[in-house]
Amino acid sequence: MAVQRRLDWQSLLAVSLFLWILLVGTHVGARPANMSASKDKSAANKDDNEILPPDHLNGMKMELDGHLNKDFHQEVFLGKDMEEFDEDSEPRRNRKKLIDIFAKVDFNKDHSVSAKEMQRWIMEKTEEHFQEAMKENKNSFHAVDPDGDGHVTWDEYRIRFLASKGFNEKEIAEKIKNNEDLKLDEETQEVLESLKDRWFQADNPPADQLLNEQEFLSFLHPEHSRGMLKYMVKEIMRDLDQDGDQKLTVSEFISLPVGTVVNQQGQEMDDDWVRERRKEFEDVMDSDRNGIVTMEELEEYMDPMNEHNALNEAKQMIAVADENQNHNLELDEILKYSEYFTGSKLMDYARNVHEEF
């Protein structure tokens, strides 16, 4: 039912973004997933689909399809250590890891985490995601730069892209060389047109229709480029802005298509989803509290390196677990609310806390 609701909502979005989601896919944790073109794909080219811009960007508050990133708090708290926490892990081991993280966040070592300390930590973890994206980009860039000249043409990219989708690479290359019709299905053609638009957006002036490694990073990860961040914001605004005034109202941000809810279970699930989006819109996105989110506010909201956003996020994260209302986090509080911070619920969280710390 959750998948059906998500697909129903995506039907409102532009075809290009919708198709990106179909091709990239996400698993239940909203983490990016690679989809093979064929079952017998070799390990050597297992990561071919990393050349496709992902819908999910780590450390970003919103997906490219306009959905809220459900893992955002965990991503900016755990950074690259996020995958180490899962429900099947040994609770005592996870508790020890969380205690170690708390000690690192507690920069002044007073056994309490302030909003400023959490802000500093969030910025560090966001930078970790940036570094990881840059590392992955090197591999992806080399995969689409067969002659190793440090530049990739649109033709080189689309040959590799179509090959990763199961098309014969030599045949495609020959047809492109001879300007022949590629005879693509409508869905693949739509995806290519969307990618081509994004490709040229990533081509920094002077536009030469070639992408170097840095420009290719912007193509795959628009959060790394101010210009591409603006482009991403325009795309999201276009898809959610129903009246075309380049502003978002709360009703536009939370609207669901007629017929989405088919039973009581679906109604309750959608009610929760709407409440989450309304809260995010009113408490975070609408910075001047006037009931409207402008293009500028959306860009500020989407900017992962915005220190003001990081401080607000830090305050919200602290408020979730701040049981003694002192506006700081103590170790027992963060352990008690471990599921919010790590996705892993720790049993007997308070046992031996002080001894282990």
Side-chain angles (χ1 to χ4, degrees), residues 135-266:
K135 182 178 176 182
E136 292 172 356
N137 182 67
K138 277 189 176 294
N139 296 329
S140 301
F141 184 77
H142 293 321
V144 295
D145 182 24
D147 55 14
D149 65 354
H151 294 86
V152 179
T153 67
W154 168 246
D155 284 345
E156 285 177 329
Y157 175 78
R158 62 174 172 157
I159 288 170
R160 296 296 296 128
F161 167 72
L162 291 172
S164 75
K165 298 300 149 199
F167 291 87
N168 185 289
E169 186 169 346
K170 290 184 177 179
E171 289 181 5
I172 290 293
E174 189 66 24
K175 287 183 178 182
I176 288 177
K177 180 180 178 181
N178 298 325
N179 292 318
E180 296 179 25
D181 183 9
L182 298 181
K183 294 183 172 58
L184 303 177
D185 59 273
E186 184 177 351
E187 181 179 294
T188 303
Q189 187 60 45
E190 291 277 5
V191 173
L192 269 181
E193 290 174 3
S194 296
L195 291 175
K196 187 175 183 179
D197 182 39
R198 183 163 173 166
W199 181 272
F200 288 113
Q201 288 289 333
D203 185 11
N204 292 327
D208 54 9
Q209 300 185 13
L210 300 170
L211 297 192
N212 58 31
E213 189 173 316
Q214 184 61 40
E215 290 168 330
F216 193 71
L217 175 65
S218 297
F219 172 71
L220 291 184
H221 289 273
E223 75 276 21
H224 286 251
S225 160
R226 175 58 60 183
M228 285 300 288
L229 182 64
K230 288 180 180 292
Y231 171 72
M232 178 172 62
V233 166
K234 287 180 181 178
E235 292 287 289
I236 292 175
M237 177 66 77
R238 183 195 66 191
D239 295 331
L240 299 180
D241 176 23
Q242 297 174 11
D243 60 11
D245 65 353
Q246 295 194 327
K247 298 175 183 177
L248 288 181
T249 62
V250 67
S251 61
E252 287 174 324
F253 192 65
I254 67 174
S255 63
L256 287 167
V258 176
T260 296
V261 179
V262 295
N263 57 31
Q264 183 60 36
Q265 182 182 4

